[in-house]
Amino acid sequence: MADHALMVPDTSHALVEHSLVIGQEFPDVETCRRTLKDIAIALHFDLRIVKSDRSRFIAKCSKEGCPWRVHVAKCPGVPTFSIRTLHGEHTCEGVRNLHHQQASVGWVARSVEARIRDNPQYKPKEILQDIRDQHGVAVSYMQAWRGKERSMAALHGTFEEGYRLLPAYCEQIRKTNPGSVASVFATGQENCFQRLFISYRASIYGFITACRPLLELDKADLKGKYLGALLCAAAVDADDALFPLAIAIVDVESDENWMWFMSELRKLLGVNTENMPRLTILSERQRGMVDAVETHFPSAFHGFCLRYVSENFRDTFKNTKLVNIFWNAVYALTTVEFESKIAEMVEISQDVIQWFQLFPPQLWAVAYFEGVRYGHFTLGVTEMLYNWALECHELPIVQMMEHIRHQLTTWFNNRREMGMRWTSILVPSAEKRILEAIADARCYQVLRANEVEFEIVSTERTNIVDIRSRVCSCRRWQLYGLPCAHAAAALISCGQNAHLFAEPCFTVGSYRETYSQMIHPIPDKSVWKELGEGAEGGAAKLDITIRAPKIRRPPGRPKKKVLRVENLKRPKRVVQCGRCHLLGHSQKKCTMPI
């Protein structure tokens, strides 16, 4: 043993931790095998099993002539095994390289199970590096990958089991969260998974009761064993945070599946159509989305996500000055202002006119879009879905939906507590904008026409404000739902509190109502009934086994979609010289001779 200790200097701790003694007991023979395998790896010697059956387990050191040997036998009348004989000294030099015969896929799976439980994103290359650092053993990438797969299956079940549990899972959602919608659909004679739709009653109530009538639609591709797509419809709460309303998983993103998703969304909101104002829906307006919205929400205003439109404009023209004018056109509040910006763009490139035929301003420009975006121009739901897909793609479908439910529960709880601490009339983001409007209002001259109409005079122009109709000729009050600086000037002049003229969806009361309902926990799957009555809404019956989809992930590393954060923001303004009209410097730094 002394020679072996010389080869691996840091074995003193392992010797103490992995020492064996006669009479030591194990609950079963499998535990005995695993313990001896761990000892062999820790002390760097190869183990050879001489005999293994129901009543005994005998192993020795694989090196010829080395006396190390252990004999474990079953204790009479009980299931435990105990060490009967033990020769614990080694005369061999042990394993001299990093490759160890006992470091099997099963051993790798056990070694990383605790880490994977906390971090499903634990990568195979990280696993093999950690095993080398901690155990002094080299395993291949495939061993690490298979070990992780086996550990994930032990912790969460297999992907196939996840699909089989879906009918029971949907029943549990409906049972623990009454009023929620949860349905799963299968297709074909083999009952292969096709669609899953989930919307919690807490989300439905919060959206219908207190959120602004604005929905974002998007999808994220799933990279798991059976691929698929994650669809979502999300609203925006009073403080501009995302509020997921409905989530679906489909076997493939298709026009048919978008039509189904919007159909389910219409059913979900259908009982409240009398109270529901006309929706504004934002998306990338792909063909399947457009047809589905027009079919099931024909009165809704369906606008483009500005990130999608601006990226297309930027990639088409590759001109920084044009892009800056484009963004000025986007934010223009009036048609006159918008048309002047278009004229500026046409002077630079006539091709802009042709581009507008592909992307009509009525679908994205503030001046022409008939819906109310409340200042939301890009899809926040995109990044949320991307993160969910990234965090969950290695989990079976039930665990994926549970991960999302846990996050929704955390959001609801945290925001509910935060809302109870606020003492203002409006939520912080709206409060900030109102205070900015009040500050800007000080420089305006107010002329009162009658009880409700005012002329607001500035050096640039005169605006008309009607505080009864809550409109301003600049259009900002109508489009953003909060009094603009002109409205604030009019309200202050007649002794009114501008905060009280914001739309109700911006109040702290509405925020609290949004998160007033609870998302209740789902019991552990061990207590679910897998047989029973059929699920609601045409879903698969509980006594029908849902199988995995036929579409599987192809071999090779999947491509990762990278979200560029800079694309989520308005481009930085480029300075233009007032003398030579070139970009990149100001008039003060111009080197052009006068």
Side-chain angles (χ1 to χ4, degrees), residues 277-295:
R278 291 179 72 177
L279 286 174
T280 294
I281 295 175
L282 303 180
S283 74
E284 292 186 354
R285 285 186 60 93
Q286 295 166 351
R287 193 186 70 183
M289 288 182 186
V290 172
D291 292 344
V293 170
E294 287 179 355
T295 301

Side-chain angles (χ1 to χ4, degrees), residues 464-517:
I464 308 300
V465 172
D466 185 328
I467 60 173
R468 178 187 292 163
S469 304
R470 301 193 177 192
V471 298
C472 176
S473 58
C474 80
R475 301 183 70 238
R476 184 174 291 275
W477 195 357
Q478 303 91 289
L479 293 172
Y480 288 82
L482 295 166
C484 59
H486 311 118
L491 291 165
I492 292 168
S493 73
C494 60
Q496 297 285 353
N497 184 348
H499 293 75
L500 299 176
F501 284 77
E503 285 197 20
C505 62
F506 292 106
T507 62
V508 170
S510 288
Y511 187 88
R512 290 173 180 169
E513 195 68 18
T514 303
Y515 296 103
S516 61
Q517 304 295 306

Side-chain angles (χ1 to χ4, degrees), residues 310-330:
S310 64
E311 282 181 2
N312 187 287
F313 187 89
R314 182 197 62 201
D315 295 341
T316 302
F317 295 103
K318 298 180 174 61
N319 183 309
T320 307
K321 187 177 180 182
L322 261 182
V323 170
N324 279 299
I325 301 172
F326 168 81
W327 277 103
N328 289 332
V330 167

Side-chain angles (χ1 to χ4, degrees), residues 566-578:
E566 63 269 20
N567 288 343
L568 306 182
K569 303 173 184 176
R570 185 175 177 175
K572 187 177 178 182
R573 187 175 67 87
V574 176
V575 178
Q576 183 179 18
C577 178

Side-chain angles (χ1 to χ4, degrees), residues 210-212 235-243 376 415 418 427 429 505-506 511 514-515:
C211 281
R212 60 196 88 174
V236 183
D237 70 19
D239 204 37
D240 289 335
L242 272 180
F243 184 83
H376 283 262
R415 293 171 188 177
M418 185 167 61
V427 297
S429 59
C505 62
F506 292 106
Y511 187 88
T514 303
Y515 296 103

